[in-house]
Amino acid sequence: MIDNKGRLFGKISLVDLFVFTVLAAVIAVVYFNVGTGSRPVTGAEQSVLITFYNPALHDFTVQAVEIGARVINDTNETFMGTVEDIVIGDSVSFMPAVDGHEVATPMEGFSSIYITSRVQGRLSEGAVVLGGNVYGVGEEIIIWAGRAKTMLNISDIRLAD
C-alpha cells in the first residue's frame, strides 16, 4: 500500500493527504461556526425590548439620555426603537488591590447605565432582526440615544409583554 517514497498506492503522498485533511477540517469548523451569516427570519414583526448596558459611562452622557428618545445605530443608521426605561447605578471599574487581585471600584464622575428600548422587529435564534441587520446579546454597538452617542453592549433581547 505505501511505497518506499511514502506514497499511498504509489500516487498520493501521506504528507499531502494529512495537510489536505487538516485543511478540510479547518474549513468545516469555520463554516459551521460562522456559517453564511444569515439566519432564518420567520413570522411577523413583534414588539421587542432591547436592553443596552455600559458599566462606566461619563455622567454628562448619562444625563443626555431621556425617556422617549430615539435609539439609532451609529454605524448603519438602523432605528433601534425608543427609550422606554433607564436604570442608572454606580459605575463598575476593576482596579488592582494591594494583594494583586482586581476589585470592582466605582469611579467618580461615571455611572453604569441600562437603557431599554422598544422596537418592532423579528426575533430569530435569540437575536432580533431590524432593517435587515441581525443584533444579538453580547454585541458591542455604538448608538445615539437622544443627544447621547455612546458605545454599549446589548445585554438582553426579549419579546415585550
Side-chain angles (χ1 to χ4, degrees), residues 106-151:
M107 293 188 320
E108 189 174 324
F110 290 79
S111 298
S112 66
I113 188 169
Y114 285 94
I115 301 170
T116 301
S117 70
R118 180 183 293 263
V119 66
Q120 290 294 115
R122 289 186 174 94
L123 288 178
S124 172
E125 297 180 19
V128 64
V129 179
L130 303 172
N133 299 299
V134 179
Y135 299 96
V137 172
E139 187 170 345
E140 192 170 64
I141 185 171
I142 299 172
I143 65 166
W144 280 96
R147 298 177 293 127
K149 178 181 177 181
T150 185
M151 183 176 293

Side-chain angles (χ1 to χ4, degrees), residues 52-160:
F52 303 91
Y53 174 69
N54 189 314
L57 194 60
H58 285 280
D59 285 339
F60 60 82
T61 305
V62 169
Q63 294 166 1
V65 180
E66 300 170 340
I67 299 289
R70 293 173 48 89
V71 178
I72 306 291
N73 179 339
D74 184 60
T75 305
N76 59 21
E77 298 183 1
T78 300
F79 175 70
M80 301 190 76
T82 55
V83 176
E84 189 163 284
D85 189 33
I86 302 168
V87 177
I88 300 169
D90 290 336
S91 65
V92 180
S93 176
F94 289 92
M95 305 293 257
V98 176
D99 63 2
H101 292 89
E102 289 193 354
V103 294
T105 308
M107 293 188 320
E108 189 174 324
F110 290 79
S111 298
S112 66
I113 188 169
Y114 285 94
I115 301 170
T116 301
S117 70
R118 180 183 293 263
V119 66
Q120 290 294 115
R122 289 186 174 94
L123 288 178
S124 172
E125 297 180 19
V128 64
V129 179
L130 303 172
N133 299 299
V134 179
Y135 299 96
V137 172
E139 187 170 345
E140 192 170 64
I141 185 171
I142 299 172
I143 65 166
W144 280 96
R147 298 177 293 127
K149 178 181 177 181
T150 185
M151 183 176 293
L152 300 140
N153 286 314
I154 297 176
S155 64
D156 188 35
I157 297 172
R158 65 187 182 283
L159 192 59

Side-chain angles (χ1 to χ4, degrees), residues 33-50:
N33 285 331
V34 177
T36 61
S38 63
R39 297 177 185 214
V41 179
T42 59
E45 288 190 345
Q46 300 170 306
S47 185
V48 176
L49 298 175
I50 304 173

Side-chain angles (χ1 to χ4, degrees), residues 1-15 17:
M1 290 185 79
I2 299 175
D3 67 8
N4 60 356
K5 293 183 180 178
R7 293 180 299 191
L8 189 61
F9 301 113
K11 296 182 182 202
I12 301 171
S13 166
L14 290 178
V15 173
L17 184 62

Side-chain angles (χ1 to χ4, degrees), residues 21-38:
T21 304
V22 169
L23 185 60
V26 168
I27 290 170
V29 167
V30 169
Y31 179 78
F32 288 115
N33 285 331
V34 177
T36 61
S38 63

